[in-house]
Amino acid sequence: MGLLAPIKRIFGLAPTGQEQADAEAGESNEVDELYTGMRVEVTTFDGRMLFIAKLMCIRQDTAELHEYIESTNPQPQQVEEALHVRIRGYSDYEKKAVYLEGYISPLPQHIWKVEKLSVARIGNDRAFFRLDTDVDATATSFTGFNVGERPCKMVNISIGGACIQSEHEYKEGDKFLLKVQLLEERDISTLFCEVLRIIPKEKGQFQYGCKFLGLNEMDQGKITQNIFEAQRKKRG
């Protein structure tokens, strides 16, 4: 996409017909330098999450991935050849999800080199890697008609949010504390959530897509580690 077109959009200057054609042609594979610093999730093509990283040093079809937390999936010394991976993030500038592909190989200090980096697609969703679960949890509200603690099931979890199922009716924008123990050997996690979408289910049940609020980098790291561990156990 390059830097010229975004600068023109900022100042309200419409691109020429040729510039528009060039931009549309490049959106399918060129990686914009404005994605530098974007927080991304790196997964294999069979859906296994490897690590969370910051996308850095973009130069045409190469870049670096700087891990937020140390990962053991895979260990750098176990990688004998470049891994073909999916790299998924969210562009705050474009307000869209960005799906990339590339080949990664390890560098020192939990940095990964990316080669043959390309844009697979850009979408309007804010999708993150989600781990399917079936875990008992509770949702506690402190205001309005929903005051109190109620049982629920956590259907899935990601770094940015979770889906729960409950017979209690919440509304979009409702907030509550979600308490869940994703792993028996780990402490209970307490997460402040906001309801984004509602999916009616059978037998008076509802599923609620929720986003986490107020998470700092340490909190995100703890959630990520729990997801890694749960993923490993689920795969046996």
Side-chain angles (χ1 to χ4, degrees):
M1 192 183 302
L3 291 174
L4 183 57
I7 290 173
K8 286 187 174 184
R9 288 199 297 269
I10 291 172
F11 289 98
L13 300 177
T16 66
Q18 183 59 49
E19 287 172 343
Q20 183 67 32
D22 292 343
E24 292 174 354
E27 280 182 351
S28 62
N29 54 19
E30 292 183 2
V31 182
D32 200 312
E33 292 180 9
L34 290 178
Y35 297 151
T36 296
M38 184 170 64
R39 179 178 171 275
V40 296
E41 298 172 345
V42 182
T43 64
T44 61
F45 272 73
D46 63 359
R48 180 165 52 96
M49 185 165 68
L50 301 178
F51 54 84
I52 308 296
K54 182 179 290 187
L55 185 62
M56 302 294 290
C57 306
I58 298 174
R59 296 291 184 273
Q60 296 182 344
D61 65 346
T62 65
E64 291 181 357
L65 292 168
H66 294 212
E67 289 186 46
Y68 276 111
I69 63 171
E70 295 184 2
S71 169
T72 57
N73 192 12
Q75 289 279 12
Q77 60 266 30
Q78 295 175 333
V79 178
E80 298 180 355
E81 59 183 21
L83 297 175
H84 191 194
V85 297
R86 289 190 170 107
I87 302 169
R88 178 169 49 187
Y90 184 80
S91 170
D92 289 326
Y93 172 74
E94 293 181 316
K95 304 299 181 185
K96 291 183 178 180
V98 180
Y99 297 83
L100 309 166
E101 295 180 11
Y103 291 80
I104 64 171
S105 53
L107 296 173
Q109 299 180 335
H110 295 278
I111 296 174
W112 296 75
K113 181 180 180 181
V114 189
E115 298 178 290
K116 298 182 181 179
L117 183 64
S118 63
V119 176
R121 72 180 180 89
I122 299 174
N124 291 320
D125 57 297
R126 298 194 63 159
F128 292 98
F129 174 90
R130 290 191 175 274
L131 179 71
D132 291 334
T133 59
D134 184 21
V135 182
D136 291 330
T138 61
T140 304
S141 302
F142 300 97
T143 60
F145 297 103
N146 294 320
V147 173
E149 181 179 270
R150 295 177 176 83
C152 62
K153 284 277 189 181
M154 189 174 72
V155 178
N156 61 52
I157 185 172
S158 74
I159 307 304
C163 178
I164 68 166
Q165 183 161 320
S166 172
E167 63 182 13
H168 184 74
E169 289 192 48
Y170 295 97
K171 298 179 181 179
E172 289 186 16
D174 281 353
K175 299 178 177 64
F176 53 78
L177 282 179
L178 178 67
K179 293 183 180 180
V180 61
Q181 188 172 20
L182 188 59
L183 298 164
E184 292 183 358
E185 64 273 20
R186 298 290 177 92
D187 294 335
I188 293 176
S189 296
T190 302
L191 303 158
F192 191 36
C193 301
E194 178 181 354
V195 176
L196 295 184
R197 58 188 176 277
I198 304 168
I199 306 169
K201 307 296 285 187
E202 296 179 352
K203 299 180 181 179
Q205 295 283 319
F206 300 86
Q207 285 190 358
Y208 300 97
C210 307
K211 71 174 180 180
F212 298 142
L213 302 175
L215 291 184
N216 57 35
E217 192 166 310
M218 182 179 296
D219 294 330
Q220 291 176 341
K222 289 179 181 179
I223 295 173
T224 303
Q225 289 172 337
N226 286 339
I227 290 176
F228 283 148
E229 184 62 28
Q231 178 183 239
R232 281 194 289 267
K233 288 193 173 185
K234 189 173 181 179
R235 289 176 176 269

